Amino acid sequence: MTDAPSVLADDPYDNFEELGAGELAYVRRVSPQDLRDMFPDAELQDADLPVWALLAADGTPLVLTDTRNAAIANAIENDLEALSVH
């Protein structure tokens, strides 16, 4: 066990979005409403198709794709560890 400082130990809410920045991303299925919320100005054709998103640790959308595996592959290509969100 190490004595490395924890971002969460000092102030659990101030630095939470920085946790995993540039190292972690998460994969989740995106609903049509999520798409409209993420991209309010986009014309979303076929928005009821299954869509998967790769999002940065802070929630910024990085990639939208039609398969979970494609989102994970994109994370790997960009040296990010992909986590699943259920």
Side-chain angles (χ1 to χ4, degrees):
M1 183 179 257
T2 65
D3 292 324
S6 169
V7 172
L8 297 178
D10 297 328
D11 194 342
Y13 301 105
D14 286 346
N15 299 318
F16 188 74
E17 287 184 353
E18 295 173 19
L19 199 63
E23 298 173 12
L24 300 175
Y26 60 97
V27 176
R28 74 176 181 97
R29 192 169 184 154
V30 180
S31 72
Q33 184 58 51
D34 291 335
L35 281 174
R36 285 187 284 277
D37 292 344
M38 286 180 188
F39 305 100
D41 297 329
E43 291 184 32
L44 302 171
Q45 297 173 344
D46 302 322
D48 27 323
L49 295 175
V51 176
W52 291 85
L54 177 68
L55 299 111
D58 67 357
T60 303
L62 301 173
V63 171
L64 291 175
T65 184
D66 59 345
T67 68
R68 181 177 180 274
N69 287 341
I72 292 170
N74 190 277
I76 293 168
E77 288 174 11
N78 289 288
D79 296 323
L80 296 168
E81 183 175 346
L83 307 172
S84 289
V85 176
H86 300 281

